[in-house]
Amino acid sequence: MRGRLVRVGVELVNAEGAQALSLREIARRAGVSHGAPRRHFPTHLDLLSAIARQGFAELAARVAAGDREGAGPRERIALLARVYLDYAGSRRGMYELMFRHDLLESGRLGLRETSLALFARLTDLVARVRPGADPVVVAGALWANLHGIAQLWHWGSLRLATGGADPAPLLAAALDAHLGPAEPAP
């Protein structure tokens, strides 16, 4: 039942967005009474956290699938960033749920720790690209920049301001700003 409730929640958030994730609606779509989720998830935050964990697992799997261990660290950061922005665009509702402050702050089901694995990967790669810098600070600034691109692109603000039809040049500029200019291809 627990797994079914989470699966239904994932389907619902992907189809209708994070605002659709009421206990009653998840229960209805799972074909159970509206009180059934409480037997498996003591609070709404617990169920939402379980759904968000699935989002982090999916994002981590996409990053792992796109990662090329033999590539240089800067190229791997660029790949990670593209996957992140693609995920934010293609799984909008899940992306919003994953980064809800109340869920991350609550620490339910180890969600905070789950969310930090991707940041640790980014920090490790940044340390290899910028050995003299504080990798946590640079990775944090880059992540904030990526999150801002994802949000502002979704809202249409960046398309309006830049006249662009693709966020790729913004991503390239963010990478250059935080990691230094890319070396020209030989």
Side-chain angles (χ1 to χ4, degrees):
M1 176 58 69
R2 228 179 124 83
R4 186 160 104 202
L5 291 167
V6 172
R7 277 191 306 280
V8 166
V10 169
E11 291 167 7
L12 184 59
V13 75
N14 286 335
E16 297 183 29
Q19 73 284 350
L21 291 174
S22 70
L23 285 175
R24 191 173 292 274
E25 184 59 17
I26 292 170
R28 186 185 74 73
R29 290 185 185 217
V32 298
S33 73
H34 69 273
R38 294 264 188 220
R39 287 191 286 272
H40 302 280
F41 297 96
T43 69
H44 192 209
L45 279 180
D46 287 313
L47 178 54
L48 294 179
S49 294
I51 295 166
R53 279 179 62 96
Q54 293 300 306
F56 280 112
E58 182 183 6
L59 178 56
R62 285 185 182 196
V63 167
D67 195 6
R68 293 193 296 240
E69 300 256 340
R74 191 179 201 289
E75 184 181 347
R76 290 177 70 195
I77 292 169
L79 288 166
L80 185 154
R82 282 193 294 277
V83 168
Y84 184 86
L85 290 178
D86 178 65
Y87 188 85
S90 66
R91 293 284 194 265
R92 191 75 216 153
M94 180 63 83
Y95 179 78
E96 289 174 1
L97 180 68
M98 289 163 56
F99 293 104
R100 269 185 46 178
H101 186 267
D102 61 331
L103 294 183
L104 291 170
E105 200 52 38
S106 75
R108 303 276 193 202
L109 306 177
L111 185 60
R112 186 178 321 131
E113 292 75 22
T114 301
S115 71
L116 293 176
L118 189 58
F119 185 72
R121 182 184 207 137
L122 178 61
T123 301
D124 177 59
L125 292 169
V126 165
R128 293 194 245 160
V129 173
R130 300 264 323 266
D134 182 339
V136 172
V137 170
V138 174
L142 176 56
W143 176 43
N145 205 167
L146 293 174
H147 198 76
I149 291 170
Q151 288 293 93
L152 293 170
W153 192 263
H154 171 71
W155 293 332
S157 303
L158 280 174
R159 283 189 291 268
L160 180 64
T162 65
D166 181 2
L170 299 166
L171 173 57
L175 293 172
D176 286 350
H178 297 287
L179 305 175
E183 305 233 348

